Amino acid sequence: MNDTHPQPSTQQQPNTQQQVDFIKQLKTTFEKMPHDIDLLLFTQKGKEDAFAEGSRQIVRAFRELTSRIRLREFGLDHKMAAKYQVEHAPTLLIAPDRYGIRWLGAPLGEEARTFLETILMVGTGMSGLSEQSRKVIAKIDSERLIKVFVSPSCPYCPQQAVNAVRAVIEKPDLISLEIIDIQSQPEIAHQYSAHSVPQAFANDVLIGMGAQPEEVFALSLSRLEPQTVFIPDSDAELVETDLLIIGGGPAGLTAGIYAVRSGLKTAIVERNVLGGQVATTPIVENYPGFTQVGGKTLVDIMVTHALEYVQIFPGEEVIDVVPGKPFEVTTGRRRFKSKTILLATGANHKHLNAPGEKRLSGRGVSYCSTCDGPLFKGRNVVIVGGGNSAVTEALYLHHMGVGVTLIHRRDSLRAQEFLVKQLTFSGIPILWNTEITEITGKERVESISLKNTRTGETSFLAVDGVFLSIGYEPSVELARKAGVALTPDGFIQKDAKHRTNIPGIYSAGDVEGGYKQIVTAAGQGAEAAMAIFEDMINPYWQKS
Ligand code: NAP
């Protein structure tokens, strides 16, 4: 993220002074922009379109802050549509005289963040790319048309969409971009079989499924094939810290607050979306202080709080941790030397490992109902699992108008009674004692094969989507690399002070196992930070 740009906050109960300061800073930034911004909105004349209205509203909100933005609207039959080869409504062109950036749909929900970043980049002409990414983009010598599929409820999407905007700003002569909202343009999503978001294509080749760290995206764009790792040059920036926290979920964010307040020079690195699993939890009803709060809203509040204290590097993947004094940590963008490390790497969703699952992942098989749910409105899907996540997500899909059936391998749910009651009340059908044995479909999910675990009876069900919510497994790749000992169940082995077997490396949150609640993860983060502070003053490993 470009450090010179103010960072938006979407918290539900804003600190008024913070909001006033943010808007003031935004206005000043707009006034200083060297370029005015022309926006051209193309709509279907005479047709009520919620997305077109959404675009008008968001532009209106920006125009209240600055006169540097100008919106003009045309019908698809206007000569301007032919001039810019616009075929879909609504389409928003952003500074078309300077850049090839178009938005198919409207920058609503999470995408308002992408829009704000885009306006600031277009207005300043600065991409804010890291030095490492810039070097990769500089080598691109032929045209790239990027298409990024997004949805307004997808917290992962802005990271990938912003990666693409940065590339355009960096090389406008060769790189152009379409940001495509799957809800507004389902036909285009179907055409590309893009049934999960974000998905990025360049010259019609899939280059990234999910949000990629910026440098990995740049490399994928340059090579026109998906890359998974980016190794930075040896001259990458060096940051020295007392504590480096790996993972920006509730455990890592809380640890960051506590560590800095104790006086430790601390940084947090997060490879993906801040907040971890909470960011995609539709509704949280058991975090004290909030009767009911959207997971992403809770994350925004936590991040805003953490940023008051600790430096956060989002979208940066840790590639290596080398034990030593200090530890040496390499990300795709920089190197860290840190006296201590906290592994708050959380957990990844589990796979069913059913035939067809991998091939159709992103083609109707989904692990994120909040991200991908909008594309399945009015269609039929199943959700697999019997825990709190599966029930919460089944209710979420049901309430958004998706025809959902819950499939569970046993005859009772392990979800909390409160959620089970809501599920019963909703009338969502449940297939008990049932397992999916195969997911089938040519280009996208079309049907599933089922087996009754009691009777052995098999059946077949036609569906458009399969949402998997069958729990999580700890993210321990880095721990393994660093030589951290694991429990027989695969979690990080630690003592009561969150110390691992390697002096100076600690753990907190879901990577430790246990109850895996937001509130327990936050508590473990606080405990670990306090233990680290005490150990740094009085190192237990130096005691005889
Ligand atoms: P979970 O509690 O581990 O439940 C996973 C579910 O998936 C179980 O019902 C399990 O079946 C089923 N399952 C596992 N492997 C399967 C397979 N191969 N095939 C079919 N089914 C399979 O996971 P979760 O619901 O994601 O929750 C994770 C943690 O987050 C929990 O601690 C939970 O309490 C917490 N959480 C809390 C809330 C909340 O409080 N609102 C919301 C979301 C998550 P069995 O029951 O047969 O084992």
Side-chain angles (χ1 to χ4, degrees):
M1 216 163 255
N2 190 331
D3 295 340
T4 58
H5 295 163
Q7 300 304 305
S9 153
T10 51
Q11 68 181 54
Q12 207 175 39
Q13 299 163 324
N15 169 335
T16 315
Q17 190 52 46
Q18 243 177 9
Q19 222 185 27
V20 169
D21 291 347
F22 174 69
I23 288 177
K24 214 166 132 192
Q25 198 189 346
L26 206 51
K27 280 183 174 171
T28 313
T29 310
F30 283 140
E31 283 323 301
K32 285 188 187 156
M33 290 190 315
H35 307 281
D36 285 349
I37 299 171
D38 254 335
L39 300 174
L40 308 189
L41 177 64
F42 292 87
T43 53
Q44 192 92 53
K45 281 238 177 89
K47 190 183 158 210
E48 278 298 308
D49 182 339
F51 292 96
E53 187 47 30
S55 285
R56 287 182 203 112
Q57 277 180 14
I58 197 145
V59 175
R60 235 175 267 141
F62 274 83
R63 282 194 41 84
E64 278 176 24
L65 303 176
T66 178
S67 57
R68 310 289 307 276
I69 295 172
R70 187 165 71 133
L71 177 70
R72 285 180 291 157
E73 190 168 332
F74 305 97
L76 271 190
D77 52 358
H78 194 275
K79 63 178 192 253
M80 291 289 270
K83 178 181 171 189
Y84 289 108
Q85 296 174 339
V86 176
E87 292 168 358
H88 303 276
T91 294
L92 187 65
L93 302 189
I94 300 170
D97 50 330
R98 295 166 51 223
Y99 299 107
I101 302 176
R102 59 183 61 194
W103 209 300
L104 279 69
L108 299 170
E110 294 295 325
E111 284 308 310
R113 264 168 60 201
T114 307
F115 187 66
L116 171 57
E117 293 251 358
T118 304
I119 292 295
L120 292 169
M121 281 189 256
V122 167
T124 56
M126 281 158 46
S127 71
L129 278 176
S130 74
E131 206 41 51
Q132 301 291 318
S133 306
R134 192 168 284 141
K135 285 183 196 167
V136 177
I137 298 288
K139 289 189 188 138
I140 293 179
D141 57 7
S142 58
E143 284 187 3
R144 298 283 188 276
L145 168 58
I146 310 170
K147 293 180 200 258
V148 182
F149 290 88
V150 300
S151 83
S153 54
C154 161
Y156 300 101
C157 291
Q159 180 176 322
Q160 191 72 330
V162 168
N163 284 341
V165 178
R166 290 194 198 292
V168 177
I169 306 288
E170 193 65 25
K171 205 158 231 198
D173 51 331
L174 289 181
I175 305 176
S176 55
L177 166 67
E178 290 178 1
I179 297 175
I180 304 168
D181 177 347
I182 56 168
Q183 217 175 326
S184 158
Q185 306 292 339
E187 296 82 17
I188 306 178
H190 290 316
Q191 194 188 327
Y192 281 79
S193 292
H195 288 179
S196 75
V197 285
Q199 272 190 50
F201 294 79
N203 300 356
D204 287 344
V205 176
L206 179 70
I207 59 163
M209 182 122 33
Q212 295 168 302
E214 182 193 287
E215 293 76 10
V216 175
F217 172 82
L219 201 60
S220 307
L221 179 64
S222 151
R223 294 189 180 165
L224 283 178
E225 62 177 355
Q227 305 293 307
T228 49
V229 167
F230 180 88
I231 312 284
D233 291 346
S234 52
D235 63 353
E237 184 196 1
L238 176 70
V239 179
E240 295 189 50
T241 53
D242 296 319
L243 168 62
L244 182 66
I245 299 170
I246 306 177
L253 293 170
T254 311
I257 295 169
Y258 271 75
V260 175
R261 286 176 62 90
S262 301
L264 301 183
K265 184 164 187 259
T266 306
I268 299 177
V269 181
E270 165 59 56
R271 69 176 163 187
N272 214 316
V273 62
L274 289 166
Q277 294 161 43
V278 189
T280 54
T281 302
I283 292 288
V284 176
E285 293 177 327
N286 54 9
Y287 192 78
F290 298 88
T291 324
Q292 198 179 64
V293 61
K296 183 60 175 49
T297 304
L298 182 59
V299 166
D300 286 338
I301 295 169
M302 285 185 182
V303 171
T304 307
H305 186 180
L307 279 170
E308 293 278 312
Y309 295 98
V310 61
Q311 192 169 16
I312 303 180
F313 298 99
E316 232 177 281
E317 176 149 33
V318 173
I319 300 161
D320 212 4
V321 176
V322 180
K325 285 181 184 165
F327 293 96
E328 291 192 17
V329 176
T330 311
T331 73
R333 195 170 305 173
R334 70 195 100 224
R335 292 168 302 130
F336 290 89
K337 285 192 177 195
S338 189
K339 290 176 190 154
T340 58
I341 287 180
L342 175 64
L343 295 171
T345 44
N348 288 322
H349 54 71
K350 264 173 65 176
H351 294 93
L352 202 54
N353 296 321
E357 177 185 356
K358 199 168 172 193
R359 181 174 64 81
L360 294 166
S361 177
R363 310 267 174 265
V365 173
S366 170
Y367 302 88
C368 180
S369 61
T370 44
C371 309
D372 307 332
L375 194 65
F376 293 89
K377 264 188 197 173
R379 302 166 74 201
N380 292 320
V381 307
V382 293
I383 184 151
V384 185
N388 286 326
S389 301
V391 175
T392 306
E393 289 173 34
L395 288 164
Y396 172 76
L397 290 169
H398 172 77
H399 290 311
M400 88 165 34
V402 179
V404 57
T405 298
L406 187 92
I407 295 184
H408 184 37
R409 65 182 177 185
R410 291 192 295 132
D411 62 2
S412 64
L413 300 164
R414 72 160 68 184
Q416 290 165 359
E417 185 59 25
F418 189 81
L419 286 169
V420 174
K421 277 190 185 146
Q422 287 183 41
L423 184 75
T424 312
F425 183 72
S426 73
I428 292 172
I430 304 173
L431 296 179
W432 299 107
N433 303 310
T434 303
E435 277 178 354
I436 293 183
T437 52
E438 188 173 2
I439 304 170
T440 38
K442 207 165 164 227
E443 296 291 324
R444 60 187 84 112
V445 169
E446 290 165 17
S447 57
I448 48 175
S449 304
L450 301 170
K451 186 177 160 196
N452 187 300
T453 53
R454 292 248 168 107
T455 62
E457 198 182 319
T458 57
S459 57
F460 204 62
L461 189 67
V463 290
D464 301 305
V466 177
F467 286 80
L468 295 170
S469 190
I470 57 170
Y472 293 86
E473 48 201 8
S475 302
V476 288
E477 312 84 42
L478 280 177
R480 273 210 191 95
K481 256 191 186 175
V484 170
L486 304 180
T487 66
D489 294 338
F491 296 97
I492 289 182
Q493 193 166 331
K494 44 88 195 174
D495 70 10
K497 297 226 172 212
H498 303 273
R499 299 162 174 159
T500 70
N501 61 314
I502 299 186
I505 300 190
Y506 299 74
S507 62
D510 284 8
V511 75
E512 294 184 331
Y515 287 112
K516 298 183 227 134
Q517 302 296 302
I518 308 169
V519 68
T520 53
Q524 288 156 3
E527 281 180 2
M530 288 193 286
I532 292 165
F533 173 68
E534 285 167 10
D535 286 348
M536 284 190 73
I537 296 172
N538 193 7
Y540 68 93
W541 53 87
Q542 284 176 12
K543 288 178 194 160
S544 52

